[in-house]
Amino acid sequence: MILANNTETHLHPGISPIGCCASFQDQPGKYSCEIHVEHGSVLFCHSVYNTESGCWDDAPEREAERILLREGETRKLNFTCGEHDGEPDSIWIYNNSYIKPADFTCRYKKQ
């Protein structure tokens, strides 16, 4: 599921085969976003394509690869979605729990 801007997103527990994560805009550019976690906890993940492994398993340069946000927390993030070897970066927000759902709101804009 692609993350809609400024709407509350419900993520199922991580044990669920679908609906436990949301993908972010994956178009290259600089973004600023604000994430507020209503319930549960979420993990913001940013990885870049690795030509050798053929997977998105490298950390972005000079940016955090993973950021954990807990219930009640609001965090402002600035990041750059790039492209490596013709593949856009992978940016996802995952439910950090295998048994509890998570709800959060994300407001973002391309700079």
Side-chain angles (χ1 to χ4, degrees), residues 1 3 8 13-14 18 24 28 33 37 42 44 58-59 65-67 70 77-78 80 93 106 108-109:
M1 125 172 86
L3 189 61
E8 188 169 302
I18 56 171
F24 198 82
C33 77
V37 182
V42 299
F44 175 89
D58 278 348
E65 180 181 13
R66 295 167 197 232
I67 299 169
R70 293 183 173 86
L77 305 171
N78 292 308
T80 301
I93 298 176
C106 181
Y108 59 88
K109 65 179 177 179

Side-chain angles (χ1 to χ4, degrees), residues 23-72:
S23 66
F24 198 82
Q25 289 291 106
D26 60 356
Q27 297 169 349
K30 292 185 178 192
Y31 290 87
S32 63
C33 77
E34 181 179 285
I35 300 172
H36 175 73
V37 182
E38 293 287 333
H39 303 288
S41 61
V42 299
L43 188 62
F44 175 89
C45 298
H46 182 179
S47 55
V48 300
Y49 186 73
N50 179 337
T51 307
E52 292 177 12
S53 69
C55 297
W56 285 261
D57 58 7
D58 278 348
E61 285 187 36
R62 296 180 295 274
E63 291 184 15
E65 180 181 13
R66 295 167 197 232
I67 299 169
L68 178 64
L69 295 101
R70 293 183 173 86
E71 188 169 315

Side-chain angles (χ1 to χ4, degrees), residues 98-109:
Y98 284 105
I99 55 174
K100 297 179 184 177
D103 296 298
F104 70 97
T105 302
C106 181
R107 289 188 269 288
Y108 59 88
K109 65 179 177 179

Side-chain angles (χ1 to χ4, degrees), residues 6 16 21-22 27 30 38 40-41 74 81 94 96 108-109:
N6 204 23
S16 173
C21 58
Q27 297 169 349
K30 292 185 178 192
E38 293 287 333
S41 61
T74 299
C81 181
Y94 292 91
N96 196 49
Y108 59 88
K109 65 179 177 179

